[in-house]
Amino acid sequence: MYSPERPPYLRYLALLGFLVLATVGGGIIHPIVALAPVLGVAVVWVILKVPVRYPVFVVTYLTLAVDYVAERPQSGLWESPLYPLGELLFAQLSYITKIGALRFPLIDVLIVGLMGLAMYRKVVGSKIDPPTPPMPRPLIAVTALSLIALLFMEVRGVVRGGDFKQSLWQWHQAAMMPFIVAMYHYALRGPQDWPIIAKIVIAAGITKALVGSYFALVIIPALGIFVEYTTSHSDSMTFIFCMLVVFIRFIEQPKAAHIIRGLAVIAIIVTGMIFNDRRLAYVSLVGCLLAAFLINPWTPLKRFLVRTLPFIAPFLIVYIAVGWNRPTGIFGPVDTIKSLIEGQGGEGNLDYRDIENLDLIATWAQFPLLGTGYGHEFLLPVPLPDIAFVFPQYRFHPHDSLLGLFAFGGMLGYTGVWLYLVVTVYLAVRAYHRSPVSEDRACALIIVGITAAYINQVFGDMGIISYICTFHISVCVAMAGKLAVLSGAWPMPNSTLLSLSPSAPVPPPGAISFPNPEGAAAASGTHKAS
């Protein structure tokens, strides 16, 4: 007997009914779990149909824009509308689902899942994603070396009797860096995706700045209390990234559109930086611009600045001298400079960070070559104020993560973990001097600046255990590799050249073609800066 085919809309109604019931059931467990069914359907759709770079863009924005719950956003006094998403991304899934075995955050699942999906598509020759340029092999090697060094420090620490549970959170985010780099490598087509990344970071920075401004202007006055910061410590890197995009794009290609858009971005981002009140943000921004200034060739703007500096310097010296003992009002910036020199303990006194640094150096002196390994607390030869009542694990997580690497990993561990930064800067600078495209040159300078900002953040605000900082440096590592190969700063592997066109002659550096129209345009300098 003939049975008419069921109308397609019945299947959609059945799916919708299932999602509604599953959402209601999930909401009984936890409000965030209510999103799981919708997310599940979205995941299936992404796996089957969507180029992997689009979900990577979404994850990048969410990581940088939502509340980073690990750092007590808004000083722990107010939960913004983005707090639930931040909890979903960064809190351990065992806390959300009540399943004890899930002692890792959702962001780890997304990183590994997107990386795995991209690699799988590449292996099976899927046409959903376009071809991507290769990474320089030395960069791949030192990125992998970073993970190997961290694992060595973990094994050494545990063998020496370290606390295994504490040790895992000393290096977790740093260990995710190679996976995030791989995710970006397989997802991004090349320099033509850099303008999209820049816009995503600016959108995230504006989001954070607006949240911080609302908290400072509306919530804090209602509470009537003093707060140390508005959003989180790691947001300094996002703000710096936004400022660098504005300044470097104008330096590389001065035009009215960059000025107009740049001033609008600066107005919002600077407001967020002021309310967030992190000294390190200003220091990093100045350092980034100085690095760009030194790398930049002798343009008319650079000559003008060099010739003008001798005339401005005396006025700056007088300004600092006058405001040194009265750092208020128009002399407010002098207070930041003074606190960086004298510390917050006042003249002649050691503040908390100074004492902590001395203790880290003393810990490193025990095992200068190999360090103590993870899972151990740093020593206290100089007594520190006890902050265990707010941060019980404070001796496992020093504010100065750079000295922490020396203390826990010694010279070998420190070098192994951070060698990738040296190679990243090397490749970015070589690409800068070889690229004919202004947007690519701006990208190279921003990579150098963000690397410097990351080092500062690790040095001053525990940046090595921050997902926000790790995402910033990871996308810069991946993009530095792509820029280097496509600009001719690093040779294209022979296997890749043969796969592109076996019968064609090897193209000269700077004129490398790639089996992707947009990638070819990027490499030849025909794509426009946005």
Side-chain angles (χ1 to χ4, degrees):
M1 180 181 294
Y2 173 74
S3 176
E5 186 178 355
R6 294 180 180 178
Y9 68 84
L10 291 179
R11 293 195 294 269
Y12 292 111
L13 286 177
L15 177 62
L16 179 61
F18 168 77
L19 288 176
V20 170
L21 292 175
T23 300
V24 173
I28 297 174
I29 301 174
H30 191 281
I32 297 298
V33 180
L35 298 174
V38 177
L39 290 175
V41 173
V43 166
V44 173
W45 177 60
V46 167
I47 292 174
L48 297 178
K49 297 291 184 182
V50 179
V52 76
R53 66 180 179 275
Y54 294 123
V56 168
F57 292 153
V58 172
V59 169
T60 301
Y61 172 78
L62 291 176
T63 300
L64 304 181
V66 303
D67 287 7
Y68 188 43
V69 297
E71 293 184 2
R72 298 179 70 247
Q74 291 75 246
S75 297
L77 299 172
W78 176 68
E79 295 182 359
S80 81
L82 297 174
Y83 189 91
L85 280 175
E87 193 174 52
L88 174 64
L89 276 181
F90 302 117
Q92 292 188 26
L93 289 176
S94 59
Y95 167 75
I96 296 174
T97 64
K98 311 306 179 185
I99 301 174
L102 303 180
R103 300 185 62 83
F104 49 84
L106 177 62
I107 187 67
D108 286 359
V109 178
L110 294 175
I111 293 167
V112 176
L114 290 172
M115 179 196 71
L117 174 62
M119 293 177 66
Y120 171 77
R121 287 178 177 176
K122 188 173 183 65
V123 169
V124 301
S126 170
K127 303 300 182 182
I128 299 176
D129 297 298
T132 57
M135 292 273 281
R137 289 176 181 172
L139 186 59
I140 297 174
V142 293
T143 303
L145 177 64
S146 179
L147 178 59
I148 294 171
L150 290 168
L151 292 174
F152 170 77
M153 292 162 64
E154 167 69 8
V155 172
R156 171 170 167 77
V158 173
V159 168
R160 293 188 59 250
D163 187 327
F164 177 71
K165 290 183 178 179
Q166 295 295 341
S167 68
L168 294 178
W169 297 106
Q170 289 180 286
W171 57 276
H172 179 86
Q173 288 82 354
M176 292 303 297
M177 183 276 300
F179 299 99
I180 303 174
V181 171
M183 178 187 74
Y184 280 123
H185 164 59
Y186 287 111
L188 301 181
R189 298 166 295 177
Q192 67 266 40
D193 281 332
W194 175 256
I196 303 174
I197 291 291
K199 291 174 183 176
I200 289 170
V201 176
I202 289 175
I206 290 174
T207 302
K208 280 292 180 73
L210 292 177
V211 170
S213 299
Y214 178 82
F215 176 63
L217 297 175
V218 178
I219 304 299
I220 293 177
L223 296 175
I225 59 175
F226 169 79
V227 297
E228 183 183 356
Y229 59 91
T230 53
T231 52
S232 70
H233 294 41
S234 297
D235 292 328
S236 295
M237 277 201 69
T238 304
F239 293 149
I240 292 165
F241 197 121
C242 298
M243 298 288 284
L244 282 181
V245 170
V246 171
F247 287 129
I248 302 301
R249 274 181 170 172
F250 176 76
I251 291 172
E252 288 299 322
Q253 192 178 38
K255 63 180 185 180
H258 285 165
I259 295 176
I260 295 171
R261 289 194 300 243
L263 289 176
V265 172
I266 288 174
I268 299 173
I269 297 300
V270 168
T271 302
M273 289 175 64
I274 292 173
F275 285 137
N276 205 35
D277 195 24
R278 309 309 301 165
R279 295 176 299 166
L280 204 58
Y282 304 109
V283 175
S284 295
L285 180 59
V286 172
C288 293
L289 294 177
L290 179 61
F293 177 82
L294 294 174
I295 296 170
N296 203 262
W298 285 98
T299 61
L301 176 60
K302 185 171 181 176
R303 290 192 177 92
F304 172 77
L305 291 174
V306 171
R307 292 168 180 170
T308 306
L309 184 61
F311 299 97
I312 298 177
F315 295 98
L316 292 176
I317 293 172
V318 171
Y319 169 77
I320 294 173
V322 173
W324 193 261
N325 293 320
R326 53 177 71 86
T328 57
I330 62 171
F331 298 106
V334 179
D335 184 43
T336 300
I337 299 173
K338 184 177 180 179
S339 67
L340 291 170
I341 296 174
E342 293 185 352
Q344 294 182 318
E347 185 175 1
N349 298 315
L350 294 175
D351 66 8
Y352 183 95
R353 300 293 182 87
D354 295 327
I355 299 173
E356 185 184 68
N357 290 347
L358 292 174
D359 290 335
L360 288 169
I361 294 172
T363 306
W364 175 34
Q366 283 192 115
F367 304 99
L369 188 62
L370 299 177
T372 65
Y374 283 127
H376 295 271
E377 299 178 320
F378 61 83
L379 302 180
L380 296 179
V382 183
L384 265 177
D386 189 349
I387 60 171
F389 64 98
V390 293
F391 189 16
Q393 299 84 20
Y394 75 101
R395 290 179 60 190
F396 291 99
H397 301 284
H399 288 84
D400 191 331
S401 304
L402 186 152
L403 287 180
L405 279 178
F406 277 113
F408 302 132
M411 286 295 297
L412 285 180
Y414 174 88
T415 303
V417 171
W418 266 23
L419 191 59
Y420 77 94
L421 296 177
V422 178
V423 178
T424 297
V425 171
Y426 172 78
L427 293 174
V429 174
R430 284 182 63 88
Y432 174 78
H433 291 294
R434 287 163 175 76
S435 177
V437 186
S438 63
E439 185 70 21
D440 293 354
R441 292 196 303 272
C443 172
L445 287 183
I446 293 169
I447 289 171
V448 175
I450 290 301
T451 304
Y454 176 74
I455 294 172
N456 276 344
Q457 202 69 21
V458 170
F459 179 80
D461 265 337
M462 296 192 288
I464 202 167
I465 59 171
S466 165
Y467 277 107
I468 292 176
C469 299
T470 305
F471 261 76
H472 279 301
I473 193 63
S474 297
V475 71
C476 288
V477 172
M479 194 57 69
K482 294 177 183 294
L483 273 177
V485 169
L486 293 180
S487 66
W490 193 265
M492 181 82 75
N494 291 333
S495 58
T496 303
L497 289 173
L498 292 174
S499 67
L500 301 185
S501 179
S503 61
V506 176
I512 296 175
S513 60
F514 205 71
N516 173 13
E518 294 176 332
S524 63
T526 57
H527 77 280
K528 297 180 180 179
S530 65

Short mmCIF file of all heavy atoms in Angstrom, two decimals, residues 410-438:
data_model
loop_
_atom_site.label_atom_id
_atom_site.label_comp_id
_atom_site.label_asym_id
_atom_site.label_seq_id
_atom_site.Cartn_x
_atom_site.Cartn_y
_atom_site.Cartn_z
N GLY A 410 64.11 26.04 36.35
CA GLY A 410 65.51 26.32 36.18
C GLY A 410 65.81 26.89 34.79
O GLY A 410 64.90 27.21 34.02
N MET A 411 67.08 26.98 34.46
CA MET A 411 67.47 27.52 33.16
C MET A 411 66.96 26.65 32.01
O MET A 411 66.49 27.17 30.99
CB MET A 411 68.99 27.64 33.09
CG MET A 411 69.58 28.77 33.91
SD MET A 411 69.07 30.39 33.31
CE MET A 411 69.79 30.40 31.68
N LEU A 412 67.02 25.34 32.17
CA LEU A 412 66.58 24.45 31.10
C LEU A 412 65.07 24.56 30.87
O LEU A 412 64.60 24.67 29.74
CB LEU A 412 66.97 23.01 31.41
CG LEU A 412 68.44 22.64 31.24
CD1 LEU A 412 68.67 21.17 31.59
CD2 LEU A 412 68.91 22.92 29.82
N GLY A 413 64.30 24.51 31.95
CA GLY A 413 62.86 24.61 31.82
C GLY A 413 62.43 25.95 31.25
O GLY A 413 61.58 26.02 30.35
N TYR A 414 62.99 27.02 31.76
CA TYR A 414 62.66 28.37 31.28
C TYR A 414 62.94 28.49 29.78
O TYR A 414 62.11 28.97 29.02
CB TYR A 414 63.47 29.39 32.06
CG TYR A 414 63.32 30.81 31.57
CD1 TYR A 414 62.30 31.63 32.06
CD2 TYR A 414 64.19 31.34 30.62
CE1 TYR A 414 62.16 32.94 31.61
CE2 TYR A 414 64.05 32.63 30.16
CZ TYR A 414 63.03 33.43 30.66
OH TYR A 414 62.89 34.72 30.20
N THR A 415 64.13 28.04 29.36
CA THR A 415 64.50 28.14 27.94
C THR A 415 63.57 27.29 27.08
O THR A 415 63.11 27.73 26.02
CB THR A 415 65.95 27.70 27.75
OG1 THR A 415 66.80 28.50 28.58
CG2 THR A 415 66.37 27.85 26.30
N GLY A 416 63.30 26.08 27.52
CA GLY A 416 62.44 25.20 26.74
C GLY A 416 61.03 25.73 26.59
O GLY A 416 60.43 25.65 25.51
N VAL A 417 60.48 26.32 27.65
CA VAL A 417 59.11 26.82 27.61
C VAL A 417 59.00 28.06 26.73
O VAL A 417 58.03 28.22 25.99
CB VAL A 417 58.61 27.14 29.04
CG1 VAL A 417 57.27 27.87 28.99
CG2 VAL A 417 58.46 25.86 29.84
N TRP A 418 60.02 28.92 26.75
CA TRP A 418 59.87 30.23 26.11
C TRP A 418 60.65 30.41 24.83
O TRP A 418 60.64 31.49 24.24
CB TRP A 418 60.25 31.32 27.11
CG TRP A 418 59.04 31.82 27.82
CD1 TRP A 418 57.86 31.18 28.00
CD2 TRP A 418 58.88 33.09 28.46
NE1 TRP A 418 56.98 31.95 28.70
CE2 TRP A 418 57.59 33.14 29.00
CE3 TRP A 418 59.72 34.17 28.65
CZ2 TRP A 418 57.10 34.23 29.70
CZ3 TRP A 418 59.24 35.28 29.35
CH2 TRP A 418 57.94 35.31 29.86
N LEU A 419 61.32 29.41 24.34
CA LEU A 419 62.09 29.57 23.11
C LEU A 419 61.20 29.93 21.92
O LEU A 419 61.63 30.62 20.99
CB LEU A 419 62.87 28.27 22.82
CG LEU A 419 63.93 28.35 21.72
CD1 LEU A 419 64.98 29.41 22.05
CD2 LEU A 419 64.60 26.99 21.55
N TYR A 420 59.95 29.49 21.95
CA TYR A 420 59.03 29.79 20.84
C TYR A 420 58.79 31.28 20.68
O TYR A 420 58.50 31.76 19.57
CB TYR A 420 57.71 29.04 21.00
CG TYR A 420 56.76 29.63 22.01
CD1 TYR A 420 55.77 30.53 21.61
CD2 TYR A 420 56.83 29.30 23.35
CE1 TYR A 420 54.88 31.06 22.53
CE2 TYR A 420 55.95 29.82 24.27
CZ TYR A 420 54.98 30.71 23.86
OH TYR A 420 54.11 31.24 24.77
N LEU A 421 58.91 32.04 21.76
CA LEU A 421 58.72 33.49 21.66
C LEU A 421 59.83 34.13 20.84
O LEU A 421 59.59 35.05 20.04
CB LEU A 421 58.67 34.11 23.06
CG LEU A 421 57.50 33.68 23.96
CD1 LEU A 421 57.63 34.32 25.33
CD2 LEU A 421 56.17 34.04 23.32
N VAL A 422 61.05 33.65 21.03
CA VAL A 422 62.18 34.18 20.27
C VAL A 422 62.00 33.91 18.78
O VAL A 422 62.18 34.80 17.94
CB VAL A 422 63.50 33.55 20.77
CG1 VAL A 422 64.69 34.06 19.97
CG2 VAL A 422 63.69 33.84 22.26
N VAL A 423 61.61 32.69 18.44
CA VAL A 423 61.43 32.32 17.03
C VAL A 423 60.26 33.09 16.43
O VAL A 423 60.32 33.53 15.27
CB VAL A 423 61.21 30.80 16.91
CG1 VAL A 423 60.97 30.41 15.45
CG2 VAL A 423 62.42 30.04 17.46
N THR A 424 59.21 33.30 17.19
CA THR A 424 58.05 34.06 16.70
C THR A 424 58.45 35.49 16.33
O THR A 424 58.10 35.99 15.25
CB THR A 424 56.95 34.09 17.77
OG1 THR A 424 56.48 32.77 18.01
CG2 THR A 424 55.77 34.96 17.32
N VAL A 425 59.18 36.16 17.21
CA VAL A 425 59.62 37.53 16.93
C VAL A 425 60.57 37.55 15.73
O VAL A 425 60.48 38.42 14.85
CB VAL A 425 60.29 38.14 18.17
CG1 VAL A 425 60.94 39.48 17.83
CG2 VAL A 425 59.27 38.32 19.28
N TYR A 426 61.47 36.58 15.68
CA TYR A 426 62.43 36.50 14.55
C TYR A 426 61.69 36.41 13.22
O TYR A 426 61.99 37.14 12.26
CB TYR A 426 63.34 35.30 14.76
CG TYR A 426 64.25 34.98 13.60
CD1 TYR A 426 65.40 35.72 13.37
CD2 TYR A 426 63.95 33.92 12.73
CE1 TYR A 426 66.24 35.43 12.31
CE2 TYR A 426 64.77 33.62 11.67
CZ TYR A 426 65.93 34.38 11.46
OH TYR A 426 66.75 34.08 10.40
N LEU A 427 60.72 35.51 13.13
CA LEU A 427 59.98 35.32 11.88
C LEU A 427 59.13 36.55 11.55
O LEU A 427 59.02 36.95 10.38
CB LEU A 427 59.10 34.08 11.98
CG LEU A 427 59.83 32.73 12.07
CD1 LEU A 427 58.83 31.61 12.32
CD2 LEU A 427 60.62 32.47 10.79
N ALA A 428 58.52 37.16 12.57
CA ALA A 428 57.67 38.33 12.33
C ALA A 428 58.48 39.50 11.79
O ALA A 428 58.06 40.20 10.86
CB ALA A 428 56.95 38.73 13.61
N VAL A 429 59.67 39.72 12.36
CA VAL A 429 60.51 40.83 11.89
C VAL A 429 61.00 40.58 10.47
O VAL A 429 61.03 41.49 9.64
CB VAL A 429 61.69 41.06 12.86
CG1 VAL A 429 62.64 42.11 12.31
CG2 VAL A 429 61.17 41.50 14.23
N ARG A 430 61.41 39.35 10.17
CA ARG A 430 61.83 39.03 8.80
C ARG A 430 60.67 39.23 7.82
O ARG A 430 60.86 39.77 6.73
CB ARG A 430 62.32 37.58 8.73
CG ARG A 430 63.71 37.36 9.32
CD ARG A 430 64.14 35.91 9.17
NE ARG A 430 64.24 35.50 7.78
CZ ARG A 430 65.33 35.63 7.04
NH1 ARG A 430 66.42 36.18 7.56
NH2 ARG A 430 65.35 35.22 5.78
N ALA A 431 59.47 38.81 8.20
CA ALA A 431 58.32 38.98 7.32
C ALA A 431 57.99 40.46 7.13
O ALA A 431 57.59 40.88 6.04
CB ALA A 431 57.11 38.25 7.90
N TYR A 432 58.18 41.25 8.19
CA TYR A 432 57.88 42.69 8.10
C TYR A 432 58.72 43.35 7.01
O TYR A 432 58.21 44.15 6.21
CB TYR A 432 58.15 43.36 9.43
CG TYR A 432 58.01 44.87 9.38
CD1 TYR A 432 56.76 45.48 9.39
CD2 TYR A 432 59.14 45.68 9.28
CE1 TYR A 432 56.63 46.85 9.31
CE2 TYR A 432 59.01 47.06 9.21
CZ TYR A 432 57.76 47.64 9.22
OH TYR A 432 57.64 49.01 9.14
N HIS A 433 59.99 43.02 6.95
CA HIS A 433 60.89 43.68 6.00
C HIS A 433 60.79 43.10 4.59
O HIS A 433 61.44 43.61 3.67
CB HIS A 433 62.33 43.58 6.49
CG HIS A 433 62.60 44.40 7.72
ND1 HIS A 433 62.55 45.78 7.72
CD2 HIS A 433 62.91 44.05 8.99
CE1 HIS A 433 62.83 46.24 8.93
NE2 HIS A 433 63.04 45.21 9.72
N ARG A 434 60.00 42.05 4.41
CA ARG A 434 59.89 41.43 3.09
C ARG A 434 58.49 41.53 2.48
O ARG A 434 58.30 41.18 1.33
CB ARG A 434 60.30 39.95 3.17
CG ARG A 434 61.80 39.78 3.33
CD ARG A 434 62.16 38.39 3.81
NE ARG A 434 63.60 38.19 3.85
CZ ARG A 434 64.40 38.68 4.80
NH1 ARG A 434 63.88 39.41 5.78
NH2 ARG A 434 65.70 38.47 4.77
N SER A 435 57.52 41.98 3.23
CA SER A 435 56.15 42.01 2.72
C SER A 435 55.84 43.35 2.05
O SER A 435 56.14 44.40 2.61
CB SER A 435 55.16 41.77 3.86
OG SER A 435 53.83 41.87 3.37
N PRO A 436 55.23 43.32 0.86
CA PRO A 436 54.84 44.56 0.19
C PRO A 436 53.45 45.07 0.61
O PRO A 436 53.01 46.10 0.14
CB PRO A 436 54.84 44.16 -1.29
CG PRO A 436 54.42 42.72 -1.26
CD PRO A 436 55.01 42.13 0.00
N VAL A 437 52.77 44.33 1.46
CA VAL A 437 51.38 44.66 1.82
C VAL A 437 51.36 45.37 3.17
O VAL A 437 51.89 44.85 4.16
CB VAL A 437 50.51 43.38 1.88
CG1 VAL A 437 49.05 43.73 2.11
CG2 VAL A 437 50.68 42.57 0.61
N SER A 438 50.75 46.54 3.22
CA SER A 438 50.75 47.32 4.46
C SER A 438 50.07 46.60 5.60
O SER A 438 50.52 46.65 6.75
CB SER A 438 50.08 48.68 4.22
OG SER A 438 48.71 48.51 3.88
#
